[in-house]
Protein backbone atom coordinates (compact mmCIF):
# COMPACT_ATOMS: atom_id res chain seq x y z
CA UNK A 1 0.00 0.00 0.00
CA UNK A 2 2.85 2.36 0.84
CA UNK A 3 4.47 1.67 -2.55
CA UNK A 4 1.17 2.40 -4.29
CA UNK A 5 0.97 5.72 -2.48
CA UNK A 6 4.55 6.53 -3.51
CA UNK A 7 3.71 5.68 -7.11
CA UNK A 8 0.72 8.01 -6.95
CA UNK A 9 3.02 10.78 -5.74
CA UNK A 10 5.61 10.18 -8.42
CA UNK A 11 3.17 9.93 -11.31
CA UNK A 12 2.32 13.17 -13.08
CA UNK A 13 -0.69 11.65 -14.83
CA UNK A 14 -3.04 11.28 -11.85
CA UNK A 15 -6.41 12.69 -12.75
CA UNK A 16 -7.37 14.41 -9.52
CA UNK A 17 -5.21 17.53 -9.66
CA UNK A 18 -7.90 19.72 -11.28
CA UNK A 19 -10.77 18.78 -9.01
CA UNK A 20 -8.81 19.48 -5.84
CA UNK A 21 -7.81 22.99 -6.92
CA UNK A 22 -4.17 22.32 -7.80
CA UNK A 23 -3.39 23.73 -11.26
CA UNK A 24 -0.77 21.90 -13.24
CA UNK A 25 2.01 24.24 -14.37
CA UNK A 26 4.15 23.45 -17.43
CA UNK A 27 7.54 22.05 -16.47
CA UNK A 28 6.60 21.74 -12.79
CA UNK A 29 6.00 18.37 -11.16
CA UNK A 30 2.39 17.96 -9.90
CA UNK A 31 3.65 16.96 -6.48
CA UNK A 32 5.60 20.20 -6.12
CA UNK A 33 2.65 22.31 -7.31
CA UNK A 34 0.22 20.63 -4.95
CA UNK A 35 2.61 20.93 -2.03
CA UNK A 36 3.03 24.63 -2.77
CA UNK A 37 -0.75 25.11 -2.92
CA UNK A 38 -1.14 23.27 0.40
CA UNK A 39 1.33 25.59 2.10
CA UNK A 40 -0.23 28.67 0.49
CA UNK A 41 -3.78 27.83 1.60
CA UNK A 42 -4.59 30.26 4.47
CA UNK A 43 -7.46 28.04 5.65
CA UNK A 44 -5.02 25.41 6.91
CA UNK A 45 -2.39 27.68 8.48
CA UNK A 46 -2.99 26.06 11.88
CA UNK A 47 -1.91 22.75 10.33
CA UNK A 48 0.66 23.68 7.68
CA UNK A 49 2.08 27.08 6.67
CA UNK A 50 5.19 29.00 5.68
CA UNK A 51 7.88 29.66 8.26
CA UNK A 52 8.59 33.24 9.31
CA UNK A 53 11.44 33.45 6.78
CA UNK A 54 9.27 32.17 3.89
CA UNK A 55 12.01 29.80 2.79
CA UNK A 56 10.55 26.69 4.41
CA UNK A 57 7.21 25.36 5.61
CA UNK A 58 6.13 23.85 8.92
CA UNK A 59 3.62 21.06 9.59
CA UNK A 60 2.27 21.94 13.03
CA UNK A 61 -0.03 18.96 13.46
CA UNK A 62 1.04 15.90 11.48
CA UNK A 63 -2.02 13.88 12.50
CA UNK A 64 -4.48 16.46 11.21
CA UNK A 65 -2.25 17.04 8.20
CA UNK A 66 -2.39 13.32 7.33
CA UNK A 67 -6.15 12.98 7.67
CA UNK A 68 -7.47 16.43 6.77
CA UNK A 69 -5.04 18.02 4.29
CA UNK A 70 -3.34 15.22 2.38
CA UNK A 71 -6.59 13.63 1.09
CA UNK A 72 -7.55 16.94 -0.51
CA UNK A 73 -4.53 16.81 -2.80
CA UNK A 74 -3.49 13.14 -2.87
CA UNK A 75 -5.51 9.95 -2.69
CA UNK A 76 -4.06 8.73 0.58
CA UNK A 77 -3.25 9.73 4.19
CA UNK A 78 0.27 8.30 4.34
CA UNK A 79 2.65 10.80 5.95
CA UNK A 80 5.71 8.64 5.30
CA UNK A 81 4.99 8.57 1.56
CA UNK A 82 4.65 12.36 1.51
CA UNK A 83 7.99 12.74 3.31
CA UNK A 84 9.56 10.26 0.88
CA UNK A 85 8.48 12.40 -2.07
CA UNK A 86 9.79 15.55 -0.37
CA UNK A 87 13.20 13.88 -0.19
CA UNK A 88 12.96 12.91 -3.86
CA UNK A 89 12.52 16.58 -4.78
CA UNK A 90 15.41 17.78 -2.66
CA UNK A 91 13.53 18.96 0.44
CA UNK A 92 15.47 18.74 3.70
CA UNK A 93 14.14 18.49 7.22
CA UNK A 94 15.17 21.45 9.35
CA UNK A 95 15.77 20.50 13.00
CA UNK A 96 14.30 17.65 15.00
CA UNK A 97 11.85 19.46 17.27
CA UNK A 98 9.23 20.18 14.61
CA UNK A 99 8.17 19.13 11.13
CA UNK A 100 9.87 21.83 9.07
CA UNK A 101 11.11 21.33 5.50
CA UNK A 102 12.95 23.53 3.10
CA UNK A 103 14.15 23.56 -0.52
CA UNK A 104 16.20 26.34 -2.13
CA UNK A 105 13.68 26.90 -4.96
CA UNK A 106 10.59 26.51 -2.75
CA UNK A 107 9.82 30.00 -1.36
CA UNK A 108 6.72 31.96 -0.35
CA UNK A 109 5.39 34.25 -3.11
CA UNK A 110 7.83 32.89 -5.70
CA UNK A 111 5.90 30.16 -7.45
CA UNK A 112 7.79 30.79 -10.66
CA UNK A 113 10.89 29.27 -9.06
CA UNK A 114 9.20 25.87 -8.77
CA UNK A 115 10.24 24.98 -12.30
CA UNK A 116 13.78 24.58 -10.98
CA UNK A 117 12.77 21.76 -8.65
CA UNK A 118 13.40 18.44 -10.34
CA UNK A 119 12.80 14.93 -9.15
CA UNK A 120 15.94 13.10 -8.27
CA UNK A 121 16.65 9.72 -9.78
CA UNK A 122 15.95 6.73 -7.59
CA UNK A 123 19.31 5.91 -6.15
CA UNK A 124 20.97 4.95 -2.96
CA UNK A 125 20.92 8.52 -1.70
CA UNK A 126 17.13 8.76 -2.06
CA UNK A 127 16.64 5.49 -0.24
CA UNK A 128 19.10 6.58 2.41
CA UNK A 129 17.25 9.86 2.90
CA UNK A 130 13.93 8.05 3.04
CA UNK A 131 15.21 5.57 5.60
CA UNK A 132 16.74 8.38 7.59
CA UNK A 133 13.50 10.39 7.51
CA UNK A 134 11.49 7.33 8.48
CA UNK A 135 13.90 6.71 11.35
CA UNK A 136 13.55 10.30 12.57
CA UNK A 137 9.78 9.99 12.26
CA UNK A 138 9.82 6.85 14.40
CA UNK A 139 12.16 8.46 16.94
CA UNK A 140 9.94 11.54 17.22
CA UNK A 141 6.86 9.38 17.60
CA UNK A 142 8.59 7.36 20.31
CA UNK A 143 9.73 10.53 22.09
CA UNK A 144 6.23 11.97 21.90
CA UNK A 145 4.72 8.76 23.27
CA UNK A 146 7.31 8.68 26.04
CA UNK A 147 6.56 12.29 26.98
CA UNK A 148 2.83 11.53 27.09
CA UNK A 149 3.52 8.45 29.22
CA UNK A 150 5.73 10.47 31.57
CA UNK A 151 3.00 13.10 31.97
CA UNK A 152 0.43 10.38 32.67
CA UNK A 153 2.68 8.63 35.19
CA UNK A 154 3.48 11.93 36.92
CA UNK A 155 -0.22 12.73 37.18
CA UNK A 156 -1.01 9.27 38.59
CA UNK A 157 1.89 9.55 41.04
CA UNK A 158 0.60 12.91 42.29
CA UNK A 159 -2.90 11.44 42.71
CA UNK A 160 -1.49 8.48 44.66
CA UNK A 161 0.55 10.86 46.83
CA UNK A 162 -2.57 12.91 47.57
CA UNK A 163 -4.46 9.74 48.49
CA UNK A 164 -1.58 8.64 50.73
CA UNK A 165 -1.55 12.04 52.45
CA UNK A 166 -5.31 11.80 52.97
CA UNK A 167 -4.93 8.32 54.44
CA UNK A 168 -2.17 9.49 56.79
CA UNK A 169 -4.34 12.39 57.95
CA UNK A 170 -7.31 10.06 58.37
CA UNK A 171 -5.26 7.60 60.45
CA UNK A 172 -3.92 10.44 62.61
CA UNK A 173 -7.46 11.74 63.19
CA UNK A 174 -8.71 8.24 64.04
CA UNK A 175 -5.82 7.72 66.47
CA UNK A 176 -6.58 11.02 68.17
CA UNK A 177 -10.27 10.13 68.40
CA UNK A 178 -9.48 6.71 69.91
CA UNK A 179 -7.11 8.23 72.44
CA UNK A 180 -9.74 10.75 73.49
CA UNK A 181 -12.38 8.01 73.69
CA UNK A 182 -10.07 5.86 75.80
CA UNK A 183 -9.37 8.76 78.18
CA UNK A 184 -13.09 9.50 78.49
CA UNK A 185 -13.78 5.81 79.15
CA UNK A 186 -11.15 5.71 81.91
CA UNK A 187 -12.64 8.82 83.54
CA UNK A 188 -16.12 7.33 83.39
CA UNK A 189 -14.96 4.02 84.90
CA UNK A 190 -13.17 5.84 87.72
CA UNK A 191 -16.27 7.91 88.43
CA UNK A 192 -18.46 4.79 88.35
CA UNK A 193 -16.12 2.91 90.68
CA UNK A 194 -16.13 5.80 93.18
CA UNK A 195 -19.92 6.06 92.99
CA UNK A 196 -20.36 2.30 93.59
CA UNK A 197 -17.87 2.38 96.45
CA UNK A 198 -19.70 5.30 98.03
CA UNK A 199 -23.08 3.57 97.67
CA UNK A 200 -21.71 0.35 99.18
CA UNK A 201 -20.11 2.23 102.07
CA UNK A 202 -23.31 4.19 102.74
CA UNK A 203 -25.39 1.00 102.68
CA UNK A 204 -22.95 -0.71 105.07
CA UNK A 205 -23.07 2.25 107.45
CA UNK A 206 -26.88 2.17 107.42
CA UNK A 207 -26.92 -1.56 108.11
CA UNK A 208 -24.42 -1.17 110.96
CA UNK A 209 -26.44 1.70 112.38
CA UNK A 210 -29.65 -0.36 112.18
CA UNK A 211 -27.98 -3.28 113.93
CA UNK A 212 -26.66 -1.04 116.69
CA UNK A 213 -30.04 0.63 117.10
CA UNK A 214 -31.82 -2.74 117.27
CA UNK A 215 -29.32 -4.00 119.81
CA UNK A 216 -29.71 -0.95 121.99
CA UNK A 217 -33.47 -1.24 121.86
CA UNK A 218 -33.25 -4.85 122.90
CA UNK A 219 -30.90 -3.97 125.72
CA UNK A 220 -33.16 -1.17 126.88
CA UNK A 221 -36.14 -3.49 126.87
CA UNK A 222 -34.29 -6.14 128.91
CA UNK A 223 -33.02 -3.58 131.40
CA UNK A 224 -36.52 -2.14 132.03
CA UNK A 225 -37.97 -5.61 132.76
CA UNK A 226 -35.32 -6.40 135.31
CA UNK A 227 -35.83 -3.08 137.09
CA UNK A 228 -39.59 -3.73 137.40
CA UNK A 229 -39.06 -7.18 138.95
CA UNK A 230 -36.55 -5.75 141.35
CA UNK A 231 -39.01 -3.08 142.42
CA UNK A 232 -41.76 -5.65 142.98
CA UNK A 233 -39.44 -7.70 145.21
CA UNK A 234 -38.57 -4.62 147.21
CA UNK A 235 -42.22 -3.73 147.72
CA UNK A 236 -43.04 -7.32 148.80
CA UNK A 237 -40.20 -7.30 151.34
CA UNK A 238 -41.41 -4.02 152.80
CA UNK A 239 -44.98 -5.31 153.15
CA UNK A 240 -43.68 -8.44 154.81
CA UNK A 241 -41.72 -6.48 157.32
CA UNK A 242 -44.79 -4.48 158.22
CA UNK A 243 -46.80 -7.63 158.84
CA UNK A 244 -44.01 -9.08 160.93
CA UNK A 245 -43.94 -6.01 163.15
CA UNK A 246 -47.69 -6.16 163.68
Amino acid sequence: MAMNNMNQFSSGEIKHGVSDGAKREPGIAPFVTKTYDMVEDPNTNSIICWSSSGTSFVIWDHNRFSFEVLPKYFKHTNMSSFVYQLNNYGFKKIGLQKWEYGQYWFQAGKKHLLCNIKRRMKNLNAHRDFNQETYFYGVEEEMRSQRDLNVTLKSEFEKLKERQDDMVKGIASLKEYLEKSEAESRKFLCFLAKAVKKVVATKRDVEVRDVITSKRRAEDATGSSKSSEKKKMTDFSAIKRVYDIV
Side-chain angles (χ1 to χ4, degrees):
M1 181 176 179
M3 291 303 298
N4 290 336
N5 291 333
M6 294 176 189
N7 291 334
Q8 288 178 2
F9 268 125
S10 61
S11 176
E13 301 298 326
I14 299 174
K15 298 180 181 180
H16 59 272
V18 177
S19 61
D20 59 20
K23 296 180 179 179
R24 184 169 181 178
E25 301 289 342
I28 303 177
F31 172 80
V32 176
T33 302
K34 293 176 183 180
T35 302
Y36 190 90
D37 291 338
M38 278 195 300
V39 179
E40 281 281 290
D41 186 359
N43 295 321
T44 57
N45 280 347
S46 61
I47 302 175
I48 179 173
C49 67
W50 292 105
S51 64
S52 57
S53 64
T55 58
S56 60
F57 67 91
V58 181
I59 301 174
W60 298 107
D61 189 332
H62 71 281
N63 288 321
R64 291 185 61 192
F65 175 77
S66 297
F67 293 101
E68 297 180 21
V69 179
L70 275 181
K72 294 180 180 179
Y73 296 86
F74 307 100
K75 290 184 177 180
H76 71 85
T77 59
N78 194 320
M79 180 69 177
S80 297
S81 297
F82 178 73
V83 172
Y84 176 79
Q85 289 301 321
L86 288 177
N87 289 329
N88 284 340
Y89 285 95
F91 286 83
K92 299 293 183 181
K93 193 171 189 301
I94 302 173
L96 294 175
Q97 298 302 318
K98 57 184 179 180
W99 296 82
E100 183 175 357
Y101 296 88
Q103 215 273 11
Y104 181 77
W105 302 108
F106 195 87
Q107 301 180 26
K110 298 180 180 180
K111 195 172 184 178
H112 61 281
L113 297 178
L114 298 181
C115 60
N116 297 301
I117 301 177
K118 304 298 181 183
R119 178 181 172 84
R120 297 187 300 181
M121 297 300 294
K122 293 182 178 179
N123 51 32
L124 293 177
N125 290 332
H127 287 290
R128 181 194 62 192
D129 291 341
F130 172 70
N131 292 333
Q132 196 175 51
E133 194 69 34
T134 304
Y135 170 77
F136 286 143
Y137 176 78
V139 170
E140 286 185 306
E141 284 294 319
E142 183 65 26
M143 290 176 63
R144 187 178 294 104
S145 299
Q146 189 63 41
R147 283 196 299 268
D148 294 341
L149 178 61
N150 291 340
V151 171
T152 302
L153 291 176
K154 183 178 179 181
S155 177
E156 291 297 325
F157 176 77
E158 291 176 351
K159 290 180 180 179
L160 289 175
K161 190 174 184 302
E162 290 178 359
R163 292 178 183 174
Q164 184 181 17
D165 293 340
D166 292 340
M167 290 180 63
V168 171
K169 292 178 181 178
I171 292 173
S173 299
L174 180 60
K175 183 179 179 181
E176 183 180 358
Y177 170 77
L178 292 176
E179 290 176 351
K180 288 182 179 180
S181 299
E182 186 178 359
E184 292 295 331
S185 298
R186 285 198 298 268
K187 289 181 180 179
F188 177 75
L189 290 175
C190 290
F191 171 78
L192 187 61
K194 290 179 180 179
V196 171
K197 186 177 181 181
K198 185 176 180 179
V199 170
V200 171
T202 301
K203 185 177 180 181
R204 186 174 61 248
D205 292 343
V206 171
E207 291 176 351
V208 171
R209 191 181 302 113
D210 291 343
V211 170
I212 293 174
T213 301
S214 298
K215 186 176 180 181
R216 285 179 179 176
R217 288 177 179 174
E219 290 177 352
D220 291 343
T222 302
S224 175
S225 176
K226 288 181 178 181
S227 177
S228 177
E229 289 294 330
K230 186 176 180 180
K231 185 176 180 181
K232 287 180 179 179
M233 289 298 294
T234 302
D235 293 340
F236 178 76
S237 297
I239 294 170
K240 184 179 180 183
R241 282 197 299 271
V242 170
Y243 281 110
D244 288 341
I245 295 172
V246 176

